Amino acid sequence: MGIQIDALKCIACMACELVCGYHRDDAFALLSSCIVPYRGREKKNYVGVILKEEDSLVAARPEGVEINRIGEEQDPEKEADASAKPMLLRESCDLCDDMEDGPLCIAFCPTGAISMT
Ligand code: SF4
Ligand code: SF4
């Protein structure tokens, strides 16, 4: 069981980042969030989402999802996304295991871009 992200549905509204930070810190602390949407600098309307999991960084991009195992050598282009924010230092997604109604990011995503696998 895990989080699945369809970057093609993402509009970079940042709701998932906000609610995840809230889940982590009981405040809107973006730096505590383990999910981070970002806009591409080069391409117009290019949106990706990075998720920190226990053993990996998941990069959901319009062209597909890439799972980068933490500790393994990264493609420089993939690292460029992840280094936009210090994702490796963040806590891993716990699937909101203390929330009765399940993951907050899924509940608050307005486009259905996030789901459970
Ligand atoms: S499931 Fe919970 S902990 Fe995981 S990314 Fe979503 S809000 Fe954050
Ligand atoms: S809440 Fe959904 S649409 Fe908004 S940034 Fe996150 S994944 Fe994208």
Side-chain angles (χ1 to χ4, degrees):
M1 207 162 62
I3 293 289
Q4 183 170 279
I5 302 160
D6 181 351
L8 288 171
K9 291 184 179 171
C10 179
I11 56 172
C13 69
M14 321 303 272
C16 54
E17 189 174 5
L18 274 174
V19 294
C20 188
Y22 187 79
H23 162 60
R24 291 298 186 186
D25 256 1
D26 289 333
F28 290 118
L30 295 185
L31 285 174
S32 300
S33 174
C34 38
I35 188 166
V36 176
Y38 67 94
R39 288 185 184 278
R41 292 184 194 133
E42 308 281 324
K43 298 179 199 165
K44 199 178 173 199
N45 297 329
Y46 183 99
V47 178
V49 182
I50 300 173
L51 174 70
K52 168 86 185 301
E53 292 187 325
E54 188 68 35
D55 303 320
S56 55
L57 272 186
V58 178
R61 300 186 177 99
E63 60 268 34
V65 176
E66 289 165 5
I67 299 172
N68 304 305
R69 307 291 291 180
I70 292 171
E72 287 178 6
E73 200 172 325
Q74 304 289 307
D75 180 309
E77 201 173 314
K78 293 174 196 166
E79 261 189 327
D81 289 345
S83 67
K85 295 185 181 173
M87 292 298 292
L88 291 171
L89 302 176
R90 298 183 185 205
E91 286 188 78
S92 306
C93 172
D94 61 4
L95 299 175
C96 290
D97 57 6
D98 60 339
M99 302 297 295
E100 247 176 57
D101 295 328
L104 284 172
C105 56
I106 293 177
F108 281 86
C109 177
T111 65
I114 311 173
S115 57
M116 290 288 271
T117 55

